[in-house]
Amino acid sequence: RKPKKAVITTREQEAFLTFFEEQIRANNLNTLEEIADRVGLSVSTVSRIRSGKMTPGAGAIRQISTAFGKSENEALGRPVQMC
């Protein structure tokens, strides 16, 4: 099997991890279990994303950004277009 390509750039992954950590602190989520419950992912997935051992896929990015009331673009540090 071929490894899956990352759906985000290294810069976007760094921005996403910063976003994720900021949201964890802002929402007083103190354990992996609390974080996992909030974002709807498994504890192991949350742990691997936070440690950088796993690049989050599109589904995880969507779930995490939505759980904190933000768009995927905001979470990835992409410019947000105003209408």
Side-chain angles (χ1 to χ4, degrees):
R1 291 177 73 166
K2 292 182 182 179
K4 290 183 180 181
K5 285 186 175 181
V7 296
I8 59 176
T9 66
T10 301
R11 184 188 59 75
E12 289 172 333
Q13 183 173 0
E14 290 170 359
F16 179 77
L17 290 174
T18 299
F19 162 82
F20 196 17
E21 292 302 320
E22 287 172 351
Q23 294 301 314
I24 289 166
R25 283 191 301 277
N27 288 277
N28 297 315
L29 302 172
N30 298 308
T31 67
L32 286 172
E33 289 80 8
E34 289 173 341
I35 299 164
D37 286 345
R38 174 70 182 260
V39 300
L41 296 171
S42 71
V43 169
S44 63
T45 297
V46 168
S47 177
R48 291 193 318 253
I49 290 171
R50 290 184 74 198
S51 69
K53 293 180 181 175
M54 174 183 167
T55 300
I61 292 167
R62 187 175 311 108
Q63 278 185 253
I64 292 168
S65 59
T66 301
F68 295 114
K70 303 292 182 182
S71 72
E72 294 169 52
N73 285 337
E74 287 175 289
L76 293 169
R78 295 175 179 162
V80 178
Q81 294 181 352
M82 301 300 231
C83 296

